[in-house]
Amino acid sequence: GVDPARIAIVPLAVDLTHFQPVPVREEGFRVLSVATVDARKGAHYLLEAFTTAALPGAELEIIGGTGSRWARALMAQNTRGPHAITLRYADVLRAPASETYGRASVLVHAALEDGFGLVVPQALACGRPVIVTDATGASELVTDGVNGFVVPAGSASAIREKLELL
């Protein structure tokens, strides 16, 4: 019963004095995920996509925590192999953007459901392309093929395809 003209969508804000374009510091292809390692955030799909892509010299860095036995086991299983996968903690709101998003070639937000992942506009503000699922509200910020890609939630193969493309 509310007149649509009275409704405004106001996306969550990002501090543009902190999150701003940062030149890529290092050579190579670095995939970044800023998320808790859990099923809801699609960590297992990202890890499957990265390991099956087998991109020469590529690295996957996850900034986040492991709050469950499942998450710790998943990370232990994937960090033992031949792939360059690291997990570290950093406060992206306090650490210089050059030490977080600035180290990345692309941000992947593989969430199976997420109201609005702030990591997406933070990465975009730092000049990084993003791969996001269609199950997060932040996918509205992505113009497919321009500043990133929107892929189906739960599809490791779709994430892998975009990683290989980039």
Side-chain angles (χ1 to χ4, degrees):
V2 176
D3 178 6
R6 294 184 55 205
I7 298 173
I9 297 173
V10 181
L12 297 172
V14 172
D15 179 359
L16 295 178
T17 61
H18 182 76
F19 298 102
Q20 50 187 282
V22 183
V24 177
R25 293 181 334 136
E26 300 170 17
E27 295 296 319
F29 187 70
R30 179 173 285 137
V31 179
L32 175 66
S33 174
V34 180
T36 304
V37 178
D38 69 22
R40 186 177 144 261
K41 295 292 185 175
H44 49 303
Y45 295 111
L46 171 58
L47 288 163
E48 180 185 338
F50 183 78
T51 57
T52 59
L55 303 167
E59 300 175 30
L60 169 59
E61 180 174 69
I62 300 172
I63 297 177
T66 55
S68 69
R69 204 175 334 191
W70 175 84
R72 287 187 294 280
L74 180 69
M75 289 309 299
Q77 174 187 355
N78 282 279
T79 54
R80 278 192 221 123
H83 306 287
I85 300 172
T86 57
L87 174 69
R88 73 179 177 108
Y89 175 78
D91 183 346
V92 297
L93 297 175
R94 291 203 167 97
S98 61
E99 296 300 317
T100 56
Y101 296 102
R103 294 167 42 96
S105 304
V106 61
L107 172 90
V108 178
H109 188 56
L112 297 179
E113 60 89 14
D114 196 348
F116 191 93
L118 273 175
V119 299
V120 174
Q122 289 169 353
L124 291 171
C126 290
R128 297 306 181 263
V130 296
I131 300 171
V132 300
T133 66
D134 56 6
T136 177
S139 64
E140 294 176 354
L141 301 175
V142 179
T143 302
D144 202 57
V146 176
N147 59 350
F149 300 99
V150 179
V151 298
S155 176
S157 62
I159 296 169
R160 184 189 72 240
E161 279 179 24
K162 299 308 180 189
L163 290 175
E164 291 170 345
L165 176 66
L166 291 170

